[in-house]
Amino acid sequence: MARTLLNIPKTAQRGEVIEIRTLIAHKMDSGFLPDAQGQRIPRDIIQRFACRYNGEQVFSAELFAAVSANPYLVFYLVATESGMLEFEWQGDNGFTQTERVPITVT
Amino acid sequence: MRRSARLAALSMLAVLLGCTMPAPVPLPALGFGLATTDRSGPAEPDRRRSGFEFMGEQTQAMQRDDSANPAMLGVQDGEMLWNTAPGPQAKACVACHAAAQSSMKGVAARYPAWDGQLARPVNLGTRINLCRQRHQQLPPLTADHQQLLNLEAYVGLQSRGLPVMPDPDPRLLPFRERGAQRFVQRLGQLDLSCAQCHDQLAGLKLAGSVIPQAHPTGYPIYRLEWQALGSLQRRLRGCMTGVRAEPFAAGSVEFVELELHLATRAMGMALETPAVRP
């Protein structure tokens, strides 16, 4: 389980554009760097991020080796209805992390 | 204008060779029991600046916003470690110290502090490790262990915004004095002291980076160059290898002496733990 920091408004007006900020703890080893013994550290990165709003995918991103550790992603959504925001990160070595945050739209 | 370019290059070389330096940045009187009675006229303005003020706007924004500061990921982990018993025989930190929000308030601001049993000053990381050994009967964590840094960040966060208030214990005085000497001691193949850059050239640039005044107000810091949380000793090691000197051993008394001097130098400045630095 990786640690995450999510900054999402708890409530929003219908039609309002809301800012979603996500941060996840991940070392994002690029696969190009040597360790202290000179051996190459194998690649271990997050490859894909997706955000679903009541089951519908509203934002996704592909991440590559040049992205720094602890990826910070900020994006915007239009608040349409109350429900659940689901965030999913997937990466090398079977890494997967899912977070759910409820949102109330008035 | 090639001449001025050459002059600039020459003066840069002079700096690298440790030749004539510009006048030092005047710092306010520091140290304990140093009254300002001997000074006439209005007090000098405090010209000390946190490393925060030497950073770019985006890095500053990253530190200001707890949901964008990656060090807060470590703080989350530190909070969990504080509240969880590390083994079947060992009690959790919270069992003796109670809630960190009240019991650890101001603690990080006064470290390094005196340890009676070791009869020497210790920094916050060593203190946490001593607690592990003496009260939790666990082996100490290695220097710069992720868990140790996370606990330090969580404890440090409880003092955020408070002024740096070094321990006034008189037994620390000889250590503090040696630390002050180390700060002006030339080191390494480049033969440079801390003071030559961080007192005399602060605000100018070393290659593309601004040289800060070296006030340890945000440790452990999330350094973008490291892409991780790191300790003051790691930062000092970086400077020492930078001037091609052999760094002091991790956890050595030499490092703590230097940390003591730095804390004294930064006395009264607000703690920013956990800070972000470029």
Side-chain angles (χ1 to χ4, degrees):
Chain A
M1 275 284 281
R3 302 231 165 238
T4 56
L5 277 173
L6 301 170
N7 193 330
I8 296 138
K10 284 188 179 64
T11 59
Q13 310 247 306
R14 193 176 304 278
E16 190 184 340
V17 176
I18 53 170
E19 188 186 45
I20 312 283
R21 285 185 274 182
T22 71
L23 181 64
I24 184 165
H26 196 287
K27 52 191 173 171
M28 296 293 281
D29 282 324
S30 66
F32 298 111
L33 295 179
D35 62 11
Q37 278 71 44
Q39 299 291 314
R40 226 162 73 153
I41 305 167
R43 193 186 83 164
D44 183 7
I45 62 168
I46 293 174
Q47 288 172 301
R48 197 174 157 75
F49 169 78
C51 170
R52 285 181 287 274
Y53 189 2
N54 285 337
E56 184 194 352
Q57 182 167 303
V58 287
F59 179 86
S60 74
E62 280 180 64
L63 283 74
F64 297 93
V67 175
S68 46
N70 307 319
Y72 175 58
L73 292 171
V74 180
F75 53 95
Y76 297 87
L77 294 181
V78 179
T80 51
E81 54 188 327
S82 296
M84 192 64 79
L85 283 166
E86 190 179 73
F87 305 91
E88 189 178 29
W89 294 262
Q90 288 173 319
D92 292 334
N93 307 316
F95 177 86
T96 174
Q97 171 97 11
T98 310
E99 298 284 337
R100 288 180 188 83
V101 180
I103 182 166
T104 310
V105 177
T106 51
Chain B
M1 287 289 100
R2 289 193 48 191
R3 191 161 172 267
S4 63
R6 207 176 309 146
L7 269 179
L10 269 178
S11 59
M12 190 61 211
L13 188 67
V15 165
L16 281 172
L17 294 174
C19 300
T20 335
M21 293 290 166
V25 178
L27 290 168
L30 298 173
F32 291 94
L34 259 175
T36 48
T37 44
D38 55 341
R39 237 191 259 154
S40 52
E44 272 182 59
D46 192 347
R47 296 187 60 178
R48 293 177 302 166
R49 297 284 176 268
S50 158
F52 181 84
E53 294 179 45
F54 293 91
M55 315 196 293
E57 257 175 57
Q58 287 180 321
T59 320
Q60 289 185 345
M62 202 178 196
Q63 178 177 324
R64 277 201 200 97
D65 179 359
D66 279 349
S67 68
N69 181 349
M72 295 310 284
L73 296 164
V75 167
Q76 275 186 13
D77 197 53
E79 185 175 9
M80 190 269 292
L81 290 166
W82 180 269
N83 292 307
T84 317
Q89 306 298 320
K91 284 197 280 186
C93 308
V94 70
C96 291
H97 292 285
Q101 281 79 358
S102 49
S103 65
M104 289 296 121
K105 194 172 182 183
V107 169
R110 66 178 188 88
Y111 269 80
W114 185 258
D115 182 75
Q117 252 172 294
L118 292 181
R120 55 164 274 200
V122 293
N123 62 17
L124 188 57
T126 310
R127 162 65 64 223
I128 292 171
N129 256 338
L130 287 174
C131 224
R132 269 177 73 85
Q133 290 167 274
R134 290 172 187 168
H135 306 298
Q136 295 181 312
Q137 282 77 42
L138 291 168
L141 295 166
T142 51
D144 295 314
H145 192 286
Q146 194 63 52
Q147 288 190 349
L148 188 58
L149 290 167
N150 290 348
L151 261 173
E152 260 185 88
Y154 180 61
V155 171
L157 176 69
Q158 314 309 328
S159 305
R160 185 158 71 173
L162 297 176
V164 174
M165 265 304 139
D167 194 343
D169 193 323
R171 290 171 294 185
L172 293 172
L173 272 174
F175 294 91
R176 187 170 275 130
E177 269 165 29
R178 277 198 292 277
Q181 285 160 12
R182 289 190 197 289
F183 193 78
V184 294
Q185 172 72 53
R186 286 167 176 249
L187 288 172
Q189 286 181 322
L190 296 193
D191 204 25
L192 285 171
S193 72
C194 312
Q196 282 177 305
C197 282
H198 295 288
D199 273 354
Q200 298 172 357
L201 299 173
L204 302 180
K205 283 191 167 185
L206 178 65
S209 315
V210 183
I211 303 170
Q213 293 177 1
H215 296 299
T217 49
Y219 285 88
I221 57 168
Y222 187 90
R223 194 165 180 224
L224 301 181
E225 187 186 311
W226 297 333
Q227 304 208 358
L229 211 55
S231 66
L232 175 55
Q233 290 199 2
R234 180 172 179 190
R235 186 68 199 82
L236 294 172
R237 265 203 312 276
C239 259
M240 290 184 81
T241 47
V243 298
R244 300 189 202 156
E246 188 179 334
F248 304 131
S252 63
V253 74
E254 286 94 336
F255 262 145
V256 183
E257 285 168 359
L258 202 46
E259 285 183 56
L260 259 175
H261 172 64
L262 291 176
T264 312
R265 222 168 137 258
M267 183 160 68
M269 296 175 76
L271 218 67
E272 301 160 38
T273 308
V276 178
R277 292 291 182 266

